[in-house]
């Protein structure tokens, strides 16, 4: 059975791999003048006229400011809905409004594409909030990230950054809406409910009364996974049979999570005119992903030495160990945050791998922003290579000088500072460490995972942590906000600085970024930076837990 499962997984990975390059090329066409314009431009022009969007190019500062202003308006809107949901329509369960701290956390969580949930979806939100705020933000947040990534790629290719509002609408109309519409139909056909009716009441075989909650789950799940959102309609997320009925929906969800972030290297190759570099970037990320996946399956199949045969703890029998680990590695690699198993019950080393994906935030990463982080590491690798051979580091023929390296250093330090300082704060104050349900090494991992998930805009939870408190709502809300926007601003500034420079002609001594040798250097940089930054805290958490078992 084990061999069959591995073969099936290998076939699934191959099929997913074949879909990524076509998707990457489609994204390049969707954000350029191409033949597909005739299908989408009429609708887009109507939206442009209604919203007053002018067809003009922006500077990088105007582009970033437009992104921030739109996101802040949407943040205020959804916060208001969460606070007032008790008096708004479509509230058949008469759910009251959220308290201020939880509303703040939830609003920030969904505008930053994190989808961290300190509430239970089916009992914490009305249908009105689910549709007008949660579902709406599941389109707006990834559209923001995808638009910014395209603008970033244009600057790297020495082209104008474009217009943020145009790119935002294109991301919605040409990418997210059509794909999510089709996959929603597939999900519904595979058994997911799709209704605006409230709960139904049933009598069980033993005579007990049961309330079964329903909703527009098929539509919800398609954009939840495609947009790397991850927030669940139900509290147990994709472990719930309505959100993930069978093995087919499990595989489809994994494919959707990887579709956009794993295809962006090919988009970059096309738009920047460097197809070999696109293939190299994909190969480097795919290598790390496959290593993480293989190691995770091996660790989880080994089980716990103290509880032989307990490796199914916290997992759904319809997915098994391999289906559960595959989902856990995909959701943390793609920074989605959806879960079909309780990560708190994973073996210490498997849990560390899922955590490691978020700490690196480069194994595909979330839609748009994950790719920008990968380019950050590419520039760091170029800088390291330049130091090794005594040459001025250059990327795409542009020299990386003091101004760029300072911004890159700031970007590189943001996430470690947020994670390590945030973890220290939570462990120090009673309001933070009082939420730990399993003291000791595992308790540190619970806290570290929650903070890392917030900083990386992943949103998955290790569970077992009592985080539905004002302390945790405010702390993780601030971390999610800073983790999202600081790196976007600094990396766009780096790309804009490079775009203003004149490219130098490559010589025989130039570093070939599209080569397998550089791909190896890039992977080494991922782990070198990650190990130097996070190894001590990992030793105190999951590694120490594993050693003491």
């Amino acid at each position: 059975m084990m061999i069959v499962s591995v073969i099936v997984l290998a076939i699934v990975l191959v099929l997913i791999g074949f879909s990524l390059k076509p998707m990457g090329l489609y994204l390049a066409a969707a954000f350029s003048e191409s033949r597909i314009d005739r299908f989408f431009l009429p609708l887009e022009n109507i939206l442009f006229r209604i919203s007053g969007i002018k067809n003009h190019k922006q500077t990088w500062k105007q582009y970033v400011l437009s992104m921030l202003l739109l996101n802040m308006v949407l943040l205020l809107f959804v916060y208001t809905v969460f606070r007032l949901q008790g008096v708004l329509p479509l509230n058949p369960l008469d759910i009251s409004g959220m308290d201020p701290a939880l509303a703040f956390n939830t609003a920030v969580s969904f505008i930053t594409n994190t989808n961290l949930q300190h509430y239970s979806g089916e009992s914490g939100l009305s249908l009105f909030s689910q549709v007008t705020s949660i579902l709406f933000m599941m389109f707006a947040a990834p559209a923001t990230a995808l638009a910014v990534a395209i603008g970033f790629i244009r600057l790297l290719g020495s082209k104008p950054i474009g217009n943020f509002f145009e790119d935002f609408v294109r991301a919605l109309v040409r990418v997210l809406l059509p794909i999510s519409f089709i996959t929603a139909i597939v999900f519904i056909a595979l058994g997911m409910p799709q209704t605006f009716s409230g709960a139904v009441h049933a009598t069980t075989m033993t005579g007990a009364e049961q309330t079964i909650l329903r909703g527009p789950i098929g539509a919800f799940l398609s954009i939840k996974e495609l947009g790397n959102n991850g927030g669940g309609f139900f509290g147990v997320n994709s472990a719930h049979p309505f959100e993930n009925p069978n093995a087919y929906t499990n595989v489809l969800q994994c494919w959707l999570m990887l579709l956009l972030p794993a295809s962006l290297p090919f988009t970059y190759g096309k738009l920047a005119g460097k197809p070999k570099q696109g293939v190299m970037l994909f190969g480097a990320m795919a290598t790390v992903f496959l290593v993480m996946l293989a190691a995770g399956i091996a660790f989880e199949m080994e089980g716990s030495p103290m509880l032989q045969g307990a490796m199914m703890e916290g997992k759904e029998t319809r997915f098994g160990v391999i289906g559960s680990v595959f989902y856990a590695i995909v959701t943390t690699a793609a920074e989605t945050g959806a879960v079909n198993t309780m990560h708190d019950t994973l073996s210490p080393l498997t849990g560390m791998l899922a955590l490691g994906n978020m700490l690196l935030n480069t194994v595909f990463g979330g839609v748009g922003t994950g790719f920008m982080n990968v380019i950050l590491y590419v520039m760091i690798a170029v800088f390291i290579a330049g130091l090794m051979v005594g040459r001025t580091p250059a990327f795409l023929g542009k020299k990386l000088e003091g101004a760029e390296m300072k911004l890159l250093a700031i970007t590189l330090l943001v996430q470690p500072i947020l994670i390590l300082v945030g973890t220290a704060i939570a462990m120090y104050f009673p309001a933070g460490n009082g939420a730990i349900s399993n003291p000791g090494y595992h308790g540190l991992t619970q806290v570290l995972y929650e903070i890392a998930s917030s900083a990386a805009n992943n949103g998955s939870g290790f569970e077992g942590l009592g985080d539905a408190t004002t302390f945790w709502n405010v702390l993780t809300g601030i971390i999610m906000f800073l983790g999202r926007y600081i790196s976007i601003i600094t990396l766009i500034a780096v790309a804009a600085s490079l775009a203003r420079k004149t490219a130098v002609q490559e010589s025989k001594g130039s570093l070939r970024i599209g080569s397998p040798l550089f791909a190896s250097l890039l992977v080494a940089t991922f782990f070198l930076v990650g190990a130097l930054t996070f190894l001590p805290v990992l030793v105190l958490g999951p590694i120490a837990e594993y050693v003491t078992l």
Side-chain angles (χ1 to χ4, degrees):
M1 187 65 182
M2 171 66 177
I3 296 176
V4 173
S5 298
V6 171
I7 293 174
V8 170
L9 177 60
I11 294 173
V12 167
L13 289 171
V14 170
L15 293 176
I16 291 175
F18 276 123
S19 70
L20 297 178
K21 184 175 182 179
M23 187 66 217
L25 297 179
Y26 174 78
L27 288 176
F31 289 93
S32 309
E33 292 183 3
S34 63
R35 289 178 294 179
I36 67 173
D37 285 352
R38 63 178 182 268
F39 299 106
F40 297 107
L41 271 180
L43 174 59
E44 291 172 353
N45 288 333
I46 294 173
L47 295 175
F48 293 153
R49 285 195 295 270
I50 293 174
S51 56
I53 296 175
K54 305 296 183 182
N55 184 17
H56 67 86
K57 303 299 181 184
Q58 296 178 317
T59 65
W60 76 267
K61 293 181 180 179
Q62 291 172 331
Y63 196 96
V64 169
L65 182 60
S66 298
M67 179 271 295
L68 290 173
L69 288 175
L70 176 62
N71 277 224
M72 294 311 102
V73 170
L74 295 177
L75 175 66
L76 180 61
F77 167 74
V78 296
Y79 174 84
T80 304
V81 171
F82 295 149
R83 294 283 287 129
L84 300 177
Q85 68 177 355
V87 296
L88 294 174
L90 282 177
N91 190 7
L93 298 181
D94 197 26
I95 299 172
S96 61
M98 286 184 171
D99 72 72
L102 181 57
F104 163 74
N105 182 277
T106 307
V108 171
S109 177
F110 281 85
I111 191 63
T112 59
N113 211 184
T114 308
N115 290 206
L116 186 73
Q117 293 176 287
H118 287 176
Y119 64 93
S120 185
E122 66 269 38
S123 60
L125 291 175
S126 66
L127 282 176
F128 186 86
S129 295
Q130 291 275 24
V131 174
T132 64
S133 297
I134 299 299
L135 192 57
F136 171 56
M137 295 310 301
M138 283 186 170
F139 282 95
T144 296
L146 186 56
V148 168
I150 295 298
F152 177 72
I153 292 173
R154 290 193 190 114
L155 288 175
L156 292 178
S158 300
K159 300 173 184 176
I161 192 172
N163 184 295
F164 170 75
F165 296 110
E166 286 186 6
D167 290 339
F168 180 81
V169 171
R170 285 185 171 188
L172 289 172
V173 173
R174 301 187 178 198
V175 181
L176 299 176
L177 282 169
I179 298 176
S180 62
F181 179 79
I182 295 171
T183 51
I185 294 174
V186 175
F187 278 139
I188 295 167
L190 290 172
M192 291 187 188
Q194 179 70 18
T195 178
F196 282 100
S197 301
V200 295
H201 302 280
T203 302
T204 68
M205 295 179 64
T206 60
E209 294 295 323
Q210 186 177 14
T211 299
I212 303 174
L213 299 175
R214 303 174 299 168
I217 301 168
F220 193 96
L221 258 291
S222 60
I223 188 59
K224 163 189 165 181
E225 311 295 13
L226 174 66
N228 296 142
N229 291 290
F233 191 92
F234 295 98
V236 294
N237 211 281
S238 286
H240 196 289
F242 283 0
E243 286 202 29
N244 201 357
N246 50 58
Y248 298 109
T249 58
N250 198 60
V251 168
L252 182 55
Q253 288 183 35
C254 290
W255 173 69
L256 284 175
M257 284 189 273
L258 290 171
L259 183 60
L260 295 182
S263 65
L264 275 173
F266 300 106
T267 305
Y268 161 80
K270 179 69 175 179
L271 292 180
K274 301 289 184 179
K276 289 184 178 180
Q277 287 188 21
V279 173
M280 180 277 299
L281 292 174
F282 172 76
M285 290 186 283
T287 299
V288 178
F289 171 79
L290 292 175
V291 170
M292 294 284 200
L293 177 60
I297 292 174
F299 292 144
E300 205 62 22
M301 293 301 295
E302 180 184 353
S304 169
M306 296 180 65
L307 300 171
Q308 294 183 6
M311 57 190 179
M312 279 301 297
E313 180 194 3
K315 302 174 182 64
E316 294 294 308
T317 55
R318 65 186 184 278
F319 305 134
V321 173
I322 292 181
S324 299
V325 174
F326 179 44
Y327 201 103
I329 297 299
V330 169
T331 193
T332 50
E335 302 300 354
T336 304
V339 295
N340 74 347
T341 184
M342 297 301 102
H343 290 191
D344 188 56
T345 64
L346 294 172
S347 67
L349 294 184
T350 308
M352 184 184 70
L353 293 174
L355 178 58
N357 281 336
M358 296 186 294
L359 297 176
L360 293 175
N361 201 12
T362 54
V363 191
F364 299 125
V367 55
T369 51
F371 178 76
M372 294 172 70
N373 283 331
V374 172
I375 296 297
L376 162 67
Y377 275 83
V378 169
M379 294 183 186
I380 297 297
V382 168
F383 179 74
I384 293 173
L387 292 178
M388 293 170 64
V389 299
R391 295 177 62 92
T392 302
F395 177 61
L396 296 177
K398 313 289 184 69
K399 291 184 178 180
L400 293 172
E401 298 176 307
E404 294 82 29
M405 292 312 302
K406 289 175 184 177
L407 288 170
L408 292 174
I410 292 172
T411 311
L412 192 64
L413 289 172
V414 166
Q415 185 163 314
I417 290 174
L418 290 175
I419 293 173
L420 298 178
V421 174
T423 300
I425 291 173
M427 293 298 294
Y428 179 79
F429 289 101
N433 59 49
I436 295 173
S437 63
N438 193 336
Y441 307 122
H442 193 83
L444 174 60
T445 306
Q446 288 179 336
V447 172
L448 177 64
Y449 192 103
E450 182 78 3
I451 299 298
S453 181
S454 303
N457 297 138
N458 179 277
S460 64
F462 210 57
E463 306 313 330
L465 187 72
D467 49 24
T469 64
T470 299
F471 175 89
W472 280 101
N473 285 333
V474 173
L475 178 63
T476 54
I478 293 172
I479 290 173
M480 286 186 286
F481 189 90
L482 296 177
R484 172 73 159 187
Y485 295 109
I486 292 178
S487 60
I488 287 178
I489 295 170
T490 53
L491 287 174
I492 288 288
V494 169
S497 178
L498 291 176
R500 292 191 294 267
K501 296 184 177 184
T502 302
V504 295
Q505 190 68 29
E506 287 190 357
S507 64
K508 291 183 178 180
S510 299
L511 180 63
R512 306 295 179 183
I513 297 180
S515 67
L517 177 62
F518 184 81
S520 302
L521 177 62
L522 178 59
V523 172
T525 304
F526 289 162
F527 288 107
L528 176 65
V529 174
L532 290 176
T533 307
F534 297 111
L535 183 59
V537 73
L538 292 175
V539 168
L540 293 174
I543 295 176
E545 182 184 1
Y546 173 77
V547 171
T548 55
L549 284 179

